[in-house]
Amino acid sequence: MPEDPSESVRWGLDALRRSGRVTELLFLYEVATGTHSRLRSIAKALGISVQATSLLYRELAQREWITQSDGVYRPTIQGTEALHAGLSTLTGDLEDRLARLRIIRKCRAIAAADLEKGDRVRLELREGTLTATRGEGGPSQGRVARGGRKGDLVEVVDLQGIVPITSAKILIMVISSPSLNPDRDVPLLRRALSREPLGLLAADGLEAWYLASRATRVPILRFGVAMAAREASQVGVPVTVLTTDDLLPSLLQRLTERSPQPPLEIKTLT
């Protein structure tokens, strides 16, 4: 288990191959949900020896993830954080893998070039759009059943492989609400936005929208910001969200309340 609970990315299925990893997670869960005053009862619940349970307890206690309180074994705050991080990340990993296993016989995609019926194509996500490119190879491919010109919606059958999806970063730009100054902040925001890939631009709150609408002509999403940002990130579209310092905690909670956790970066507008 990671010594820092924030390193929850190490809790996926791949990490569970490490010897003892599953038992560590089950140990934390058992003491968090049950009442155990003896290691023997924990060992019985986990189906392992008392000696192995004792060694595991000492290791977790060294990390300050478990303690004894009034004679009962309990996880510490750090241990509880690690347990939640582990279960959340593991759940997200499983959901992602199961979603990728769904068998799809045919699909529609945007043609990257003129395509005719029978053409072999590669499928990939481009800025969140499923795109069909003429040719073979690649992790996902198929055959055109209904063609079209470049930019048209075409139908692809005989699908093979899985379209790779890499989550894009959600960049959060934070403005100080108490010291908000449009004359100063609009030029700062304009320069900051010019340095970022604007796949999706969103503003959380009136003040953020006011500044963004004066800093750029790019369409600005105002409603359902967290949900839209998460969905865009999951299909590889980079997201920039502008908010104020007083709204930041609520925004972060909405962005991270469900698995999988999107990659986040927070910058202060300066």
Side-chain angles (χ1 to χ4, degrees):
M1 296 169 75
E3 295 188 3
D4 182 353
S6 66
E7 298 180 11
S8 59
V9 67
R10 298 184 182 180
W11 271 109
L13 284 179
D14 289 338
L16 293 183
R17 292 182 300 180
R18 189 181 75 102
S19 178
R21 191 68 167 235
V22 174
T23 309
E24 291 173 353
L25 185 60
L26 291 174
F27 189 107
L28 280 175
Y29 179 80
E30 188 62 36
V31 297
T33 58
T35 302
H36 296 278
S37 58
R38 301 176 64 193
L39 291 176
R40 183 177 297 278
S41 67
I42 300 175
K44 183 178 180 180
L46 299 181
I48 60 177
S49 69
V50 176
Q51 181 181 11
T53 305
S54 178
L55 290 172
L56 186 54
Y57 165 72
R58 278 183 284 179
E59 183 178 341
L60 295 180
Q62 253 186 351
R63 300 177 194 176
E64 298 183 351
W65 284 11
I66 193 169
T67 187
Q68 271 188 298
S69 177
D70 296 327
V72 176
Y73 293 99
R74 293 290 184 194
T76 62
I77 293 176
Q78 296 95 322
T80 301
E81 290 176 352
L83 175 61
H84 280 272
L87 293 177
S88 176
T89 306
L90 183 57
T91 299
D93 194 359
L94 286 170
E95 289 175 348
D96 182 62
R97 291 172 190 262
L98 287 171
R100 289 168 178 264
L101 285 176
R102 287 182 298 185
I103 299 176
I104 302 175
R105 304 296 181 185
K106 63 181 180 179
C107 70
R108 291 184 174 90
I110 301 298
D114 293 351
L115 296 173
E116 297 181 357
K117 182 177 180 179
D119 283 346
R120 298 295 302 178
V121 292
R122 300 188 301 271
L123 295 171
E124 58 183 332
L125 275 178
R126 295 184 180 179
E127 298 181 353
T129 300
L130 186 62
T131 305
T133 305
R134 184 184 290 108
E136 298 190 43
S140 180
Q141 50 190 300
R143 177 177 55 83
V144 175
R146 182 172 61 83
R149 294 185 177 276
K150 180 179 179 179
D152 286 349
L153 196 64
V154 297
E155 188 170 304
V156 183
V157 297
D158 297 339
L159 300 177
Q160 300 175 21
I162 298 174
V163 176
I165 303 175
T166 301
S167 295
K169 177 183 69 177
I170 298 178
L171 171 64
I172 304 174
M173 289 189 181
V174 184
I175 300 168
S176 173
S177 181
S179 59
L180 187 144
N181 181 340
D183 292 336
R184 177 199 63 206
D185 294 337
V186 168
L188 285 175
L189 180 57
R190 186 177 294 120
R191 286 195 295 272
L193 292 177
S194 68
R195 297 191 292 265
E196 300 296 335
L198 293 181
L200 175 67
L201 177 62
D204 191 42
L206 177 64
E207 295 163 314
W209 172 81
Y210 175 83
L211 294 178
S213 64
R214 279 152 181 77
T216 180
R217 294 184 178 179
V218 173
I220 304 164
L221 179 72
R222 295 182 59 191
F223 308 107
V225 169
M227 183 180 297
R230 284 179 54 89
E231 183 173 345
S233 168
Q234 287 171 8
V235 294
V237 177
V239 182
T240 300
V241 181
L242 186 66
T243 191
T244 51
D245 47 6
D246 56 330
L247 294 179
L248 178 61
S250 172
L251 175 63
L252 288 175
Q253 181 180 7
R254 284 176 281 137
L255 285 172
T256 60
E257 62 187 357
R258 292 186 294 108
S259 294
Q261 302 291 319
L264 299 175
E265 182 182 353
I266 301 175
K267 289 184 179 179
T268 301
L269 186 66
T270 54

PDB file of all heavy atoms in Angstrom, residues 9-29:
ATOM      1  N   VAL A   9      -3.722   6.324  -7.185  1.00  0.00           N
ATOM      2  CA  VAL A   9      -3.625   5.729  -8.515  1.00  0.00           C
ATOM      3  C   VAL A   9      -2.970   4.364  -8.456  1.00  0.00           C
ATOM      4  O   VAL A   9      -3.155   3.541  -9.323  1.00  0.00           O
ATOM      5  CB  VAL A   9      -2.842   6.684  -9.449  1.00  0.00           C
ATOM      6  CG1 VAL A   9      -1.392   6.785  -9.021  1.00  0.00           C
ATOM      7  CG2 VAL A   9      -2.920   6.214 -10.894  1.00  0.00           C
ATOM      8  N   ARG A  10      -2.200   4.094  -7.398  1.00  0.00           N
ATOM      9  CA  ARG A  10      -1.525   2.812  -7.269  1.00  0.00           C
ATOM     10  C   ARG A  10      -2.443   1.705  -6.763  1.00  0.00           C
ATOM     11  O   ARG A  10      -1.989   0.612  -6.486  1.00  0.00           O
ATOM     12  CB  ARG A  10      -0.329   2.966  -6.321  1.00  0.00           C
ATOM     13  CG  ARG A  10       0.725   3.956  -6.821  1.00  0.00           C
ATOM     14  CD  ARG A  10       1.899   3.983  -5.896  1.00  0.00           C
ATOM     15  NE  ARG A  10       2.890   4.953  -6.318  1.00  0.00           N
ATOM     16  CZ  ARG A  10       4.034   5.170  -5.667  1.00  0.00           C
ATOM     17  NH1 ARG A  10       4.316   4.489  -4.585  1.00  0.00           N
ATOM     18  NH2 ARG A  10       4.889   6.070  -6.109  1.00  0.00           N
ATOM     19  N   TRP A  11      -3.709   2.014  -6.621  1.00  0.00           N
ATOM     20  CA  TRP A  11      -4.641   1.037  -6.066  1.00  0.00           C
ATOM     21  C   TRP A  11      -5.399   0.262  -7.127  1.00  0.00           C
ATOM     22  O   TRP A  11      -6.308  -0.473  -6.806  1.00  0.00           O
ATOM     23  CB  TRP A  11      -5.658   1.754  -5.174  1.00  0.00           C
ATOM     24  CG  TRP A  11      -5.237   1.886  -3.749  1.00  0.00           C
ATOM     25  CD1 TRP A  11      -4.866   3.031  -3.116  1.00  0.00           C
ATOM     26  CD2 TRP A  11      -5.155   0.863  -2.760  1.00  0.00           C
ATOM     27  NE1 TRP A  11      -4.560   2.779  -1.816  1.00  0.00           N
ATOM     28  CE2 TRP A  11      -4.733   1.449  -1.566  1.00  0.00           C
ATOM     29  CE3 TRP A  11      -5.396  -0.508  -2.783  1.00  0.00           C
ATOM     30  CZ2 TRP A  11      -4.550   0.736  -0.405  1.00  0.00           C
ATOM     31  CZ3 TRP A  11      -5.206  -1.224  -1.627  1.00  0.00           C
ATOM     32  CH2 TRP A  11      -4.799  -0.599  -0.451  1.00  0.00           C
ATOM     33  N   GLY A  12      -5.091   0.411  -8.412  1.00  0.00           N
ATOM     34  CA  GLY A  12      -5.834  -0.281  -9.453  1.00  0.00           C
ATOM     35  C   GLY A  12      -5.569  -1.777  -9.459  1.00  0.00           C
ATOM     36  O   GLY A  12      -4.825  -2.312  -8.631  1.00  0.00           O
ATOM     37  N   LEU A  13      -6.176  -2.468 -10.416  1.00  0.00           N
ATOM     38  CA  LEU A  13      -6.031  -3.924 -10.497  1.00  0.00           C
ATOM     39  C   LEU A  13      -4.571  -4.343 -10.644  1.00  0.00           C
ATOM     40  O   LEU A  13      -4.144  -5.341 -10.074  1.00  0.00           O
ATOM     41  CB  LEU A  13      -6.843  -4.459 -11.674  1.00  0.00           C
ATOM     42  CG  LEU A  13      -8.357  -4.543 -11.487  1.00  0.00           C
ATOM     43  CD1 LEU A  13      -8.998  -5.072 -12.757  1.00  0.00           C
ATOM     44  CD2 LEU A  13      -8.712  -5.439 -10.315  1.00  0.00           C
ATOM     45  N   ASP A  14      -3.807  -3.593 -11.423  1.00  0.00           N
ATOM     46  CA  ASP A  14      -2.395  -3.937 -11.611  1.00  0.00           C
ATOM     47  C   ASP A  14      -1.655  -3.949 -10.283  1.00  0.00           C
ATOM     48  O   ASP A  14      -0.802  -4.802 -10.034  1.00  0.00           O
ATOM     49  CB  ASP A  14      -1.728  -2.942 -12.565  1.00  0.00           C
ATOM     50  CG  ASP A  14      -2.208  -3.113 -13.996  1.00  0.00           C
ATOM     51  OD1 ASP A  14      -2.690  -4.216 -14.309  1.00  0.00           O
ATOM     52  OD2 ASP A  14      -2.104  -2.164 -14.783  1.00  0.00           O
ATOM     53  N   ALA A  15      -1.969  -2.975  -9.411  1.00  0.00           N
ATOM     54  CA  ALA A  15      -1.282  -2.887  -8.128  1.00  0.00           C
ATOM     55  C   ALA A  15      -1.618  -4.069  -7.223  1.00  0.00           C
ATOM     56  O   ALA A  15      -0.811  -4.465  -6.378  1.00  0.00           O
ATOM     57  CB  ALA A  15      -1.641  -1.579  -7.422  1.00  0.00           C
ATOM     58  N   LEU A  16      -2.813  -4.643  -7.393  1.00  0.00           N
ATOM     59  CA  LEU A  16      -3.228  -5.741  -6.526  1.00  0.00           C
ATOM     60  C   LEU A  16      -2.443  -7.027  -6.769  1.00  0.00           C
ATOM     61  O   LEU A  16      -2.543  -7.969  -5.994  1.00  0.00           O
ATOM     62  CB  LEU A  16      -4.727  -6.010  -6.697  1.00  0.00           C
ATOM     63  CG  LEU A  16      -5.655  -4.897  -6.218  1.00  0.00           C
ATOM     64  CD1 LEU A  16      -7.098  -5.328  -6.386  1.00  0.00           C
ATOM     65  CD2 LEU A  16      -5.380  -4.524  -4.775  1.00  0.00           C
ATOM     66  N   ARG A  17      -1.668  -7.062  -7.855  1.00  0.00           N
ATOM     67  CA  ARG A  17      -0.842  -8.238  -8.105  1.00  0.00           C
ATOM     68  C   ARG A  17       0.300  -8.340  -7.091  1.00  0.00           C
ATOM     69  O   ARG A  17       0.853  -9.411  -6.899  1.00  0.00           O
ATOM     70  CB  ARG A  17      -0.263  -8.192  -9.525  1.00  0.00           C
ATOM     71  CG  ARG A  17      -1.316  -8.362 -10.603  1.00  0.00           C
ATOM     72  CD  ARG A  17      -0.705  -8.372 -11.973  1.00  0.00           C
ATOM     73  NE  ARG A  17       0.006  -7.128 -12.267  1.00  0.00           N
ATOM     74  CZ  ARG A  17       0.621  -6.887 -13.407  1.00  0.00           C
ATOM     75  NH1 ARG A  17       0.627  -7.796 -14.360  1.00  0.00           N
ATOM     76  NH2 ARG A  17       1.227  -5.735 -13.613  1.00  0.00           N
ATOM     77  N   ARG A  18       0.634  -7.222  -6.441  1.00  0.00           N
ATOM     78  CA  ARG A  18       1.696  -7.272  -5.442  1.00  0.00           C
ATOM     79  C   ARG A  18       1.261  -8.144  -4.277  1.00  0.00           C
ATOM     80  O   ARG A  18       0.133  -8.056  -3.806  1.00  0.00           O
ATOM     81  CB  ARG A  18       2.019  -5.865  -4.929  1.00  0.00           C
ATOM     82  CG  ARG A  18       3.256  -5.819  -4.053  1.00  0.00           C
ATOM     83  CD  ARG A  18       3.469  -4.401  -3.586  1.00  0.00           C
ATOM     84  NE  ARG A  18       2.518  -4.047  -2.543  1.00  0.00           N
ATOM     85  CZ  ARG A  18       2.814  -4.009  -1.256  1.00  0.00           C
ATOM     86  NH1 ARG A  18       4.021  -4.330  -0.853  1.00  0.00           N
ATOM     87  NH2 ARG A  18       1.918  -3.664  -0.365  1.00  0.00           N
ATOM     88  N   SER A  19       2.153  -8.985  -3.834  1.00  0.00           N
ATOM     89  CA  SER A  19       1.838  -9.919  -2.746  1.00  0.00           C
ATOM     90  C   SER A  19       1.343  -9.176  -1.505  1.00  0.00           C
ATOM     91  O   SER A  19       1.973  -8.237  -1.033  1.00  0.00           O
ATOM     92  CB  SER A  19       3.090 -10.733  -2.398  1.00  0.00           C
ATOM     93  OG  SER A  19       2.831 -11.598  -1.324  1.00  0.00           O
ATOM     94  N   GLY A  20       0.196  -9.594  -0.996  1.00  0.00           N
ATOM     95  CA  GLY A  20      -0.340  -9.026   0.235  1.00  0.00           C
ATOM     96  C   GLY A  20      -1.197  -7.793   0.049  1.00  0.00           C
ATOM     97  O   GLY A  20      -1.808  -7.324   1.011  1.00  0.00           O
ATOM     98  N   ARG A  21      -1.262  -7.252  -1.152  1.00  0.00           N
ATOM     99  CA  ARG A  21      -1.993  -6.004  -1.365  1.00  0.00           C
ATOM    100  C   ARG A  21      -3.485  -6.159  -1.048  1.00  0.00           C
ATOM    101  O   ARG A  21      -4.084  -5.321  -0.375  1.00  0.00           O
ATOM    102  CB  ARG A  21      -1.802  -5.556  -2.812  1.00  0.00           C
ATOM    103  CG  ARG A  21      -2.285  -4.155  -3.127  1.00  0.00           C
ATOM    104  CD  ARG A  21      -1.430  -3.109  -2.431  1.00  0.00           C
ATOM    105  NE  ARG A  21      -1.683  -1.802  -2.966  1.00  0.00           N
ATOM    106  CZ  ARG A  21      -0.742  -1.001  -3.466  1.00  0.00           C
ATOM    107  NH1 ARG A  21       0.501  -1.394  -3.486  1.00  0.00           N
ATOM    108  NH2 ARG A  21      -1.042   0.188  -3.922  1.00  0.00           N
ATOM    109  N   VAL A  22      -4.089  -7.232  -1.543  1.00  0.00           N
ATOM    110  CA  VAL A  22      -5.511  -7.459  -1.300  1.00  0.00           C
ATOM    111  C   VAL A  22      -5.775  -7.632   0.191  1.00  0.00           C
ATOM    112  O   VAL A  22      -6.750  -7.093   0.738  1.00  0.00           O
ATOM    113  CB  VAL A  22      -6.007  -8.695  -2.079  1.00  0.00           C
ATOM    114  CG1 VAL A  22      -7.450  -9.012  -1.709  1.00  0.00           C
ATOM    115  CG2 VAL A  22      -5.897  -8.464  -3.571  1.00  0.00           C
ATOM    116  N   THR A  23      -4.913  -8.385   0.863  1.00  0.00           N
ATOM    117  CA  THR A  23      -5.093  -8.634   2.294  1.00  0.00           C
ATOM    118  C   THR A  23      -5.006  -7.334   3.088  1.00  0.00           C
ATOM    119  O   THR A  23      -5.753  -7.127   4.050  1.00  0.00           O
ATOM    120  CB  THR A  23      -4.039  -9.631   2.806  1.00  0.00           C
ATOM    121  OG1 THR A  23      -4.032 -10.783   1.962  1.00  0.00           O
ATOM    122  CG2 THR A  23      -4.351 -10.067   4.230  1.00  0.00           C
ATOM    123  N   GLU A  24      -4.105  -6.431   2.697  1.00  0.00           N
ATOM    124  CA  GLU A  24      -3.989  -5.146   3.381  1.00  0.00           C
ATOM    125  C   GLU A  24      -5.290  -4.358   3.265  1.00  0.00           C
ATOM    126  O   GLU A  24      -5.771  -3.770   4.248  1.00  0.00           O
ATOM    127  CB  GLU A  24      -2.835  -4.347   2.778  1.00  0.00           C
ATOM    128  CG  GLU A  24      -1.464  -4.927   3.083  1.00  0.00           C
ATOM    129  CD  GLU A  24      -0.369  -4.205   2.329  1.00  0.00           C
ATOM    130  OE1 GLU A  24      -0.705  -3.349   1.472  1.00  0.00           O
ATOM    131  OE2 GLU A  24       0.806  -4.483   2.585  1.00  0.00           O
ATOM    132  N   LEU A  25      -5.850  -4.352   2.061  1.00  0.00           N
ATOM    133  CA  LEU A  25      -7.097  -3.621   1.846  1.00  0.00           C
ATOM    134  C   LEU A  25      -8.244  -4.248   2.651  1.00  0.00           C
ATOM    135  O   LEU A  25      -9.036  -3.537   3.286  1.00  0.00           O
ATOM    136  CB  LEU A  25      -7.438  -3.625   0.364  1.00  0.00           C
ATOM    137  CG  LEU A  25      -8.655  -2.819  -0.084  1.00  0.00           C
ATOM    138  CD1 LEU A  25      -8.480  -1.355   0.252  1.00  0.00           C
ATOM    139  CD2 LEU A  25      -8.898  -2.993  -1.580  1.00  0.00           C
ATOM    140  N   LEU A  26      -8.308  -5.592   2.666  1.00  0.00           N
ATOM    141  CA  LEU A  26      -9.358  -6.273   3.426  1.00  0.00           C
ATOM    142  C   LEU A  26      -9.186  -6.077   4.936  1.00  0.00           C
ATOM    143  O   LEU A  26     -10.167  -5.991   5.675  1.00  0.00           O
ATOM    144  CB  LEU A  26      -9.354  -7.763   3.083  1.00  0.00           C
ATOM    145  CG  LEU A  26      -9.812  -8.127   1.667  1.00  0.00           C
ATOM    146  CD1 LEU A  26      -9.626  -9.615   1.413  1.00  0.00           C
ATOM    147  CD2 LEU A  26     -11.269  -7.729   1.453  1.00  0.00           C
ATOM    148  N   PHE A  27      -7.932  -6.020   5.389  1.00  0.00           N
ATOM    149  CA  PHE A  27      -7.662  -5.791   6.809  1.00  0.00           C
ATOM    150  C   PHE A  27      -8.227  -4.432   7.225  1.00  0.00           C
ATOM    151  O   PHE A  27      -8.934  -4.320   8.247  1.00  0.00           O
ATOM    152  CB  PHE A  27      -6.147  -5.851   7.057  1.00  0.00           C
ATOM    153  CG  PHE A  27      -5.758  -5.845   8.518  1.00  0.00           C
ATOM    154  CD1 PHE A  27      -5.284  -6.998   9.127  1.00  0.00           C
ATOM    155  CD2 PHE A  27      -5.857  -4.681   9.277  1.00  0.00           C
ATOM    156  CE1 PHE A  27      -4.934  -7.008  10.461  1.00  0.00           C
ATOM    157  CE2 PHE A  27      -5.495  -4.677  10.614  1.00  0.00           C
ATOM    158  CZ  PHE A  27      -5.031  -5.843  11.204  1.00  0.00           C
ATOM    159  N   LEU A  28      -7.916  -3.393   6.442  1.00  0.00           N
ATOM    160  CA  LEU A  28      -8.431  -2.056   6.753  1.00  0.00           C
ATOM    161  C   LEU A  28      -9.957  -2.031   6.738  1.00  0.00           C
ATOM    162  O   LEU A  28     -10.594  -1.425   7.605  1.00  0.00           O
ATOM    163  CB  LEU A  28      -7.897  -1.038   5.741  1.00  0.00           C
ATOM    164  CG  LEU A  28      -6.474  -0.523   5.956  1.00  0.00           C
ATOM    165  CD1 LEU A  28      -6.068   0.380   4.801  1.00  0.00           C
ATOM    166  CD2 LEU A  28      -6.359   0.229   7.267  1.00  0.00           C
ATOM    167  N   TYR A  29     -10.547  -2.716   5.766  1.00  0.00           N
ATOM    168  CA  TYR A  29     -12.008  -2.741   5.673  1.00  0.00           C
ATOM    169  C   TYR A  29     -12.616  -3.452   6.873  1.00  0.00           C
ATOM    170  O   TYR A  29     -13.629  -3.006   7.439  1.00  0.00           O
ATOM    171  CB  TYR A  29     -12.430  -3.448   4.379  1.00  0.00           C
ATOM    172  CG  TYR A  29     -13.927  -3.536   4.217  1.00  0.00           C
ATOM    173  CD1 TYR A  29     -14.665  -2.449   3.756  1.00  0.00           C
ATOM    174  CD2 TYR A  29     -14.614  -4.712   4.542  1.00  0.00           C
ATOM    175  CE1 TYR A  29     -16.039  -2.534   3.608  1.00  0.00           C
ATOM    176  CE2 TYR A  29     -15.987  -4.794   4.406  1.00  0.00           C
ATOM    177  CZ  TYR A  29     -16.694  -3.709   3.943  1.00  0.00           C
ATOM    178  OH  TYR A  29     -18.066  -3.787   3.815  1.00  0.00           O
TER     179      TYR A  29
END
